[in-house]
Amino acid sequence: WGAAAVSVGALAGLTSVLLVNVFGQSRIFFAMARDGLLPAGFARLHPRFRTPYRVTLLTGLAVTLLAGLLPVGEVARLANIGTLAAFFLVSLGVIVLRRRHPEWRRPFRVPAVPWLPALAGLSALWLASNLPRLTWFVFTGWLLLGLAIYLLYGRRHSRLARPVAAEAPAEADPVRSGG
């Protein structure tokens, strides 16, 4: 009975992680579509609920297919490597942005920059390095697919890449204004 209880708990945990990832990923795709990195149709909101329903349905369908076709262990490993990669990039981003734009006002403080973010990023890399080669292979494939989408579509349509007539005031930028 103990093994069954652990299995049910693991399945419930993995299900909740996948649901959180679906909602998180759909919001990331929504923001990317608003910024021009994905087609504008992904940024359409439901007329009644005001939620990004198209991209949520598409992301949910993709996750459902992957979860239904792949062994549960591989799904867990892919969720792990994706989370660790994001954690590594955020840690690196803290260091880079603090060095390149120290004048920006930030709504939060990170102690011991650059040492703590560097240690966090190295820890994420170490944990990811212990994942199987197949997981790294699949992750690399997804990474290359994302890079291809960026190079073939997002780079040309990005709002950040468009020349701006005049610099917007700092209050308009949520990163600079802390909003």
Side-chain angles (χ1 to χ4, degrees):
W1 68 267
V6 169
S7 295
V8 168
L11 189 58
L14 185 57
T15 301
S16 66
V17 166
L18 288 175
L19 283 173
V20 168
N21 284 341
V22 166
F23 287 119
Q25 188 63 59
S26 66
R27 294 322 188 258
I28 290 169
F29 286 155
F30 171 69
M32 290 173 67
R34 279 191 327 197
D35 293 341
L37 297 172
L38 291 174
F42 289 123
R44 301 224 17 227
L45 297 176
H46 190 277
R48 179 176 167 205
F49 301 114
R50 308 299 299 157
T51 57
Y53 69 105
R54 287 181 174 182
V55 73
T56 302
L57 289 172
L58 185 65
T59 304
L61 178 64
V63 170
T64 300
L65 287 173
L66 289 174
L69 297 174
L70 296 175
V72 70
E74 190 58 32
V75 172
R77 286 186 285 276
L78 288 171
N80 287 340
I81 199 166
T83 302
L84 290 169
F87 193 77
F88 170 77
L89 291 173
V90 168
S91 299
L92 183 65
V94 167
I95 297 169
V96 170
L97 287 176
R98 295 288 166 125
R99 185 167 302 267
R100 286 193 178 171
H101 298 286
E103 75 282 3
W104 284 1
R105 183 181 170 278
R106 291 168 171 84
F108 62 90
R109 303 296 296 159
V110 176
V113 174
W115 307 111
L116 187 60
L119 184 60
L122 289 173
S123 298
L125 278 180
W126 180 79
L127 288 169
S129 73
N130 290 297
L131 291 168
R133 285 187 186 189
L134 177 62
T135 304
W136 275 96
F137 180 72
V138 174
F139 174 71
T140 302
W142 281 109
L143 202 59
L144 291 174
L145 176 65
L147 185 61
I149 291 170
Y150 171 72
L151 291 174
L152 296 172
Y153 182 87
R155 200 164 178 215
R156 278 182 287 171
H157 295 89
S158 171
R159 289 186 180 164
L160 292 175
R162 294 181 193 151
V164 178
E167 177 70 26
E171 295 80 50
D173 187 345
V175 174
R176 292 183 186 182
S177 65

